[in-house]
Short mmCIF file of all heavy atoms in Angstrom, two decimals:
data_model
loop_
_atom_site.label_atom_id
_atom_site.label_comp_id
_atom_site.label_asym_id
_atom_site.label_seq_id
_atom_site.Cartn_x
_atom_site.Cartn_y
_atom_site.Cartn_z
N ILE A 28 33.58 -89.94 74.28
CA ILE A 28 32.23 -89.80 74.91
C ILE A 28 31.17 -90.58 74.16
O ILE A 28 31.08 -90.51 72.92
CB ILE A 28 31.85 -88.28 74.93
CG1 ILE A 28 32.87 -87.49 75.81
CG2 ILE A 28 30.44 -88.09 75.49
CD1 ILE A 28 32.75 -85.99 75.65
N SER A 29 30.39 -91.32 74.89
CA SER A 29 29.26 -92.06 74.30
C SER A 29 27.91 -91.44 74.63
O SER A 29 26.94 -91.81 74.04
CB SER A 29 29.29 -93.53 74.76
OG SER A 29 29.26 -93.61 76.19
N ASP A 30 27.86 -90.52 75.54
CA ASP A 30 26.65 -89.75 75.83
C ASP A 30 27.02 -88.45 76.52
O ASP A 30 27.49 -88.44 77.66
CB ASP A 30 25.71 -90.57 76.77
CG ASP A 30 24.32 -89.95 76.88
OD1 ASP A 30 24.21 -88.73 76.62
OD2 ASP A 30 23.38 -90.68 77.27
N TYR A 31 26.79 -87.34 75.80
CA TYR A 31 27.22 -86.01 76.27
C TYR A 31 26.31 -85.49 77.42
O TYR A 31 26.71 -84.55 78.10
CB TYR A 31 27.18 -84.99 75.12
CG TYR A 31 28.25 -85.12 74.09
CD1 TYR A 31 28.04 -85.89 72.96
CD2 TYR A 31 29.46 -84.46 74.26
CE1 TYR A 31 29.06 -86.00 71.98
CE2 TYR A 31 30.45 -84.59 73.31
CZ TYR A 31 30.24 -85.34 72.16
OH TYR A 31 31.22 -85.41 71.23
N THR A 32 25.17 -86.07 77.58
CA THR A 32 24.23 -85.53 78.60
C THR A 32 23.95 -86.54 79.69
O THR A 32 22.87 -86.50 80.30
CB THR A 32 22.93 -85.05 77.96
OG1 THR A 32 22.33 -86.14 77.23
CG2 THR A 32 23.20 -83.89 77.01
N ALA A 33 24.88 -87.46 79.91
CA ALA A 33 24.78 -88.40 81.03
C ALA A 33 26.08 -88.47 81.78
O ALA A 33 27.15 -88.21 81.23
CB ALA A 33 24.39 -89.80 80.50
N ILE A 34 26.00 -88.76 83.10
CA ILE A 34 27.21 -88.88 83.91
C ILE A 34 27.66 -90.38 83.87
O ILE A 34 26.81 -91.28 84.04
CB ILE A 34 26.93 -88.47 85.36
CG1 ILE A 34 26.35 -87.06 85.38
CG2 ILE A 34 28.19 -88.55 86.20
CD1 ILE A 34 27.21 -86.01 84.74
N ASP A 35 28.91 -90.59 83.69
CA ASP A 35 29.43 -91.99 83.73
C ASP A 35 29.27 -92.51 85.13
O ASP A 35 29.63 -91.84 86.12
CB ASP A 35 30.90 -92.02 83.29
CG ASP A 35 31.33 -93.42 83.01
OD1 ASP A 35 31.56 -94.18 83.95
OD2 ASP A 35 31.45 -93.76 81.81
N PRO A 36 28.74 -93.71 85.28
CA PRO A 36 28.53 -94.31 86.60
C PRO A 36 29.78 -94.40 87.44
O PRO A 36 29.70 -94.42 88.68
CB PRO A 36 27.97 -95.71 86.31
CG PRO A 36 27.35 -95.60 84.94
CD PRO A 36 28.21 -94.58 84.20
N ARG A 37 30.93 -94.44 86.83
CA ARG A 37 32.19 -94.43 87.58
C ARG A 37 32.28 -93.22 88.57
O ARG A 37 32.85 -93.26 89.62
CB ARG A 37 33.42 -94.37 86.70
CG ARG A 37 33.64 -95.52 85.76
CD ARG A 37 34.88 -95.20 84.91
NE ARG A 37 35.17 -96.22 83.93
CZ ARG A 37 34.70 -96.22 82.66
NH1 ARG A 37 33.93 -95.21 82.27
NH2 ARG A 37 35.03 -97.19 81.82
N PHE A 38 31.69 -92.12 88.07
CA PHE A 38 31.86 -90.83 88.79
C PHE A 38 30.61 -90.46 89.57
O PHE A 38 30.72 -89.52 90.39
CB PHE A 38 32.18 -89.73 87.80
CG PHE A 38 33.37 -90.00 86.93
CD1 PHE A 38 33.28 -90.08 85.56
CD2 PHE A 38 34.61 -90.20 87.50
CE1 PHE A 38 34.40 -90.36 84.75
CE2 PHE A 38 35.74 -90.45 86.74
CZ PHE A 38 35.64 -90.55 85.37
N GLY A 39 29.50 -91.12 89.38
CA GLY A 39 28.32 -90.79 90.16
C GLY A 39 27.09 -90.67 89.29
O GLY A 39 26.95 -91.35 88.23
N THR A 40 26.18 -89.81 89.68
CA THR A 40 24.92 -89.64 89.00
C THR A 40 24.70 -88.18 88.58
O THR A 40 25.46 -87.31 88.99
CB THR A 40 23.76 -90.04 89.94
OG1 THR A 40 23.74 -89.08 91.06
CG2 THR A 40 23.95 -91.44 90.51
N MET A 41 23.63 -87.98 87.82
CA MET A 41 23.31 -86.56 87.46
C MET A 41 22.95 -85.75 88.67
O MET A 41 23.24 -84.55 88.74
CB MET A 41 22.16 -86.57 86.44
CG MET A 41 21.86 -85.18 85.85
SD MET A 41 23.29 -84.43 84.98
CE MET A 41 23.27 -85.36 83.43
N GLU A 42 22.38 -86.42 89.66
CA GLU A 42 22.04 -85.71 90.91
C GLU A 42 23.35 -85.24 91.57
O GLU A 42 23.41 -84.13 92.13
CB GLU A 42 21.24 -86.61 91.88
CG GLU A 42 19.82 -86.91 91.43
CD GLU A 42 19.68 -87.81 90.21
OE1 GLU A 42 20.66 -88.62 89.99
OE2 GLU A 42 18.67 -87.73 89.52
N ASP A 43 24.38 -86.09 91.53
CA ASP A 43 25.66 -85.69 92.07
C ASP A 43 26.23 -84.48 91.35
O ASP A 43 26.80 -83.54 91.92
CB ASP A 43 26.71 -86.85 91.98
CG ASP A 43 26.34 -88.03 92.88
OD1 ASP A 43 25.79 -87.80 94.00
OD2 ASP A 43 26.62 -89.17 92.49
N CYS A 44 26.08 -84.51 90.01
CA CYS A 44 26.59 -83.41 89.18
C CYS A 44 25.82 -82.14 89.50
O CYS A 44 26.46 -81.05 89.66
CB CYS A 44 26.42 -83.74 87.72
SG CYS A 44 27.03 -82.48 86.62
N ASP A 45 24.50 -82.20 89.59
CA ASP A 45 23.73 -81.03 89.95
C ASP A 45 24.17 -80.44 91.30
O ASP A 45 24.28 -79.22 91.49
CB ASP A 45 22.22 -81.37 89.98
CG ASP A 45 21.64 -81.68 88.60
OD1 ASP A 45 22.26 -81.25 87.60
OD2 ASP A 45 20.61 -82.32 88.55
N LYS A 46 24.38 -81.34 92.25
CA LYS A 46 24.85 -80.88 93.58
C LYS A 46 26.24 -80.23 93.47
O LYS A 46 26.51 -79.22 94.12
CB LYS A 46 24.86 -82.06 94.54
CG LYS A 46 25.28 -81.63 95.98
CD LYS A 46 25.26 -82.84 96.92
CE LYS A 46 25.69 -82.42 98.31
NZ LYS A 46 25.73 -83.56 99.28
N LEU A 47 27.12 -80.83 92.67
CA LEU A 47 28.46 -80.29 92.50
C LEU A 47 28.39 -78.84 91.96
O LEU A 47 29.04 -77.96 92.49
CB LEU A 47 29.25 -81.17 91.54
CG LEU A 47 30.68 -80.69 91.16
CD1 LEU A 47 31.57 -80.69 92.35
CD2 LEU A 47 31.23 -81.57 90.04
N ILE A 48 27.57 -78.63 90.95
CA ILE A 48 27.43 -77.29 90.42
C ILE A 48 26.88 -76.31 91.43
O ILE A 48 27.38 -75.18 91.62
CB ILE A 48 26.50 -77.31 89.15
CG1 ILE A 48 27.18 -78.10 88.05
CG2 ILE A 48 26.19 -75.90 88.67
CD1 ILE A 48 26.27 -78.40 86.82
N ARG A 49 25.85 -76.77 92.19
CA ARG A 49 25.28 -75.87 93.21
C ARG A 49 26.30 -75.55 94.30
O ARG A 49 26.42 -74.40 94.73
CB ARG A 49 24.07 -76.60 93.89
CG ARG A 49 22.82 -76.64 93.11
CD ARG A 49 21.60 -76.96 94.01
NE ARG A 49 21.83 -78.14 94.84
CZ ARG A 49 21.54 -79.39 94.46
NH1 ARG A 49 21.05 -79.63 93.23
NH2 ARG A 49 21.73 -80.43 95.27
N GLU A 50 27.04 -76.56 94.75
CA GLU A 50 28.00 -76.35 95.85
C GLU A 50 29.16 -75.46 95.40
O GLU A 50 29.69 -74.67 96.20
CB GLU A 50 28.55 -77.68 96.34
CG GLU A 50 27.51 -78.55 97.05
CD GLU A 50 27.03 -77.91 98.35
OE1 GLU A 50 27.87 -77.30 99.06
OE2 GLU A 50 25.84 -78.05 98.68
N ILE A 51 29.59 -75.56 94.16
CA ILE A 51 30.63 -74.70 93.64
C ILE A 51 30.15 -73.23 93.61
O ILE A 51 30.82 -72.31 94.05
CB ILE A 51 31.10 -75.14 92.26
CG1 ILE A 51 31.88 -76.47 92.38
CG2 ILE A 51 31.96 -74.08 91.57
CD1 ILE A 51 32.23 -77.11 91.07
N HIS A 52 28.96 -73.06 93.10
CA HIS A 52 28.40 -71.70 93.02
C HIS A 52 28.15 -71.12 94.42
O HIS A 52 28.29 -69.90 94.62
CB HIS A 52 27.10 -71.70 92.21
CG HIS A 52 27.33 -71.86 90.72
ND1 HIS A 52 26.41 -72.30 89.83
CD2 HIS A 52 28.46 -71.57 89.99
CE1 HIS A 52 26.91 -72.31 88.61
NE2 HIS A 52 28.14 -71.89 88.68
N LYS A 53 27.76 -71.97 95.35
CA LYS A 53 27.53 -71.51 96.69
C LYS A 53 28.81 -70.96 97.30
O LYS A 53 28.77 -70.04 98.16
CB LYS A 53 26.99 -72.70 97.54
CG LYS A 53 26.50 -72.27 98.95
CD LYS A 53 25.67 -73.40 99.58
CE LYS A 53 26.55 -74.49 100.06
NZ LYS A 53 25.75 -75.53 100.80
N ARG A 54 29.96 -71.45 96.85
CA ARG A 54 31.21 -70.97 97.33
C ARG A 54 31.81 -69.84 96.45
O ARG A 54 33.00 -69.55 96.54
CB ARG A 54 32.20 -72.15 97.43
CG ARG A 54 31.85 -73.15 98.54
CD ARG A 54 32.58 -74.47 98.40
NE ARG A 54 32.32 -75.34 99.50
CZ ARG A 54 31.19 -76.13 99.62
NH1 ARG A 54 30.27 -76.04 98.68
NH2 ARG A 54 31.04 -76.94 100.67
N LYS A 55 30.97 -69.30 95.59
CA LYS A 55 31.39 -68.17 94.72
C LYS A 55 32.48 -68.54 93.76
O LYS A 55 33.29 -67.71 93.36
CB LYS A 55 31.82 -66.94 95.59
CG LYS A 55 30.85 -66.53 96.65
CD LYS A 55 29.51 -66.12 96.11
CE LYS A 55 28.54 -65.66 97.22
NZ LYS A 55 27.19 -65.36 96.68
N MET A 56 32.48 -69.78 93.33
CA MET A 56 33.41 -70.21 92.28
C MET A 56 32.62 -70.56 91.02
O MET A 56 31.39 -70.63 91.03
CB MET A 56 34.19 -71.44 92.77
CG MET A 56 35.13 -71.18 93.96
SD MET A 56 36.21 -72.61 94.41
CE MET A 56 34.97 -73.71 95.10
N LYS A 57 33.33 -70.70 89.91
CA LYS A 57 32.74 -70.97 88.59
C LYS A 57 33.04 -72.42 88.16
O LYS A 57 34.00 -73.03 88.59
CB LYS A 57 33.26 -70.00 87.53
CG LYS A 57 33.11 -68.53 87.92
CD LYS A 57 31.69 -68.03 87.79
CE LYS A 57 31.61 -66.52 87.94
NZ LYS A 57 30.22 -66.00 87.83
N VAL A 58 32.19 -72.95 87.24
CA VAL A 58 32.30 -74.27 86.72
C VAL A 58 32.53 -74.28 85.22
O VAL A 58 31.77 -73.70 84.48
CB VAL A 58 31.01 -75.09 86.99
CG1 VAL A 58 31.15 -76.51 86.52
CG2 VAL A 58 30.57 -75.01 88.44
#
C-alpha cells in the first residue's frame, strides 16, 4: 500500500467506495 486513505484508480474513486459501503449497508450486510 502506498496510500491507506485513497482508492487505487484501477478500482475506481472514493465516491465509488462510499457508494459501495452505502449499498452494502442498504442490503443489511456488513463491510
